[in-house]
Amino acid sequence: MAYSEDIPLPEGDIILKVSGAIENTNLGDTVQFDREMLEKIGMVDLVTATPWHDGRISFSGVPLRSLLDFVGSQGETIVAVALNDYEVEIPVSDAFDTEVILALTMNGEVMSVRDKGPVFVIYPYDSSEKLNSQTYFSRSAWQVAHLIIR
């Protein structure tokens, strides 16, 4: 792993840390992001029904594949760790086979911890039967603070 001068240090509150099998870092062996840094990677909109909300919800966030490319991911598995230390494994292939995002806003509002933020793993659940299943619901960690690439 090497420090990349292309990745600045966060100036705002750190909302996500990425570590593990990555090529690019900005602080020790990690990449630490504030909200603005994540937004600069590129945001997309995703409207989907979820098992946790009524009706279809509009989310905006960073495509997981874009984040993995940004940090130079070299692994096969992502361990998403929530603020309460809940962990779930997500295959890296999901980032390239689905339109999964790291949602930062819900219905146009920045997600607080109370609203499952600041980072919520969201799949386009209602885009296919495959994604509208417990397998993908269980990978949808909320209040994500750390991604460990293995």
Side-chain angles (χ1 to χ4, degrees):
M1 286 174 266
Y3 169 75
S4 173
E5 291 181 12
D6 297 331
I7 304 176
L9 291 172
E11 295 180 14
D13 292 338
I14 296 167
I15 64 169
L16 183 66
K17 179 169 69 171
V18 181
S19 64
I22 58 176
E23 290 183 341
N24 305 318
T25 63
N26 68 354
L27 192 58
D29 60 355
T30 68
V31 181
Q32 298 192 14
F33 295 93
D34 61 21
R35 181 173 308 282
E36 184 178 335
M37 291 170 65
L38 284 171
E39 290 172 351
K40 283 183 178 179
I41 293 173
M43 300 276 284
V44 297
D45 297 326
L46 173 63
V47 178
T48 188
T50 80
W52 310 283
H53 305 93
D54 292 330
R56 297 184 84 219
I57 305 293
S58 176
F59 295 95
S60 293
V62 178
L64 184 55
R65 79 169 65 96
S66 297
L67 180 86
L68 294 177
D69 287 344
F70 185 85
V71 301
S73 171
Q74 300 297 306
E76 299 295 322
T77 303
I78 303 161
V79 179
V81 183
L83 292 171
N84 66 359
D85 294 326
Y86 171 81
E87 293 184 6
V88 64
E89 289 190 3
I90 301 168
V92 166
S93 60
D94 280 9
F96 299 93
D97 297 342
T98 72
E99 299 298 317
V100 61
I101 67 170
L102 300 173
L104 303 175
T105 70
M106 181 173 66
N107 292 331
E109 301 290 325
V110 170
M111 289 185 292
S112 67
V113 171
R114 176 182 215 150
D115 296 322
K116 298 184 175 15
V119 178
F120 188 179
V121 177
I122 293 289
Y123 290 81
Y125 310 105
D126 59 6
S127 68
S128 74
E129 233 178 271
K130 174 184 164 186
L131 295 178
N132 193 16
S133 68
Q134 192 56 46
T135 298
Y136 292 92
F137 300 156
S138 68
R139 295 178 185 170
S140 299
W142 52 77
Q143 299 174 340
V144 173
H146 189 181
L147 298 176
I148 304 165
I149 313 299
R150 296 189 175 143

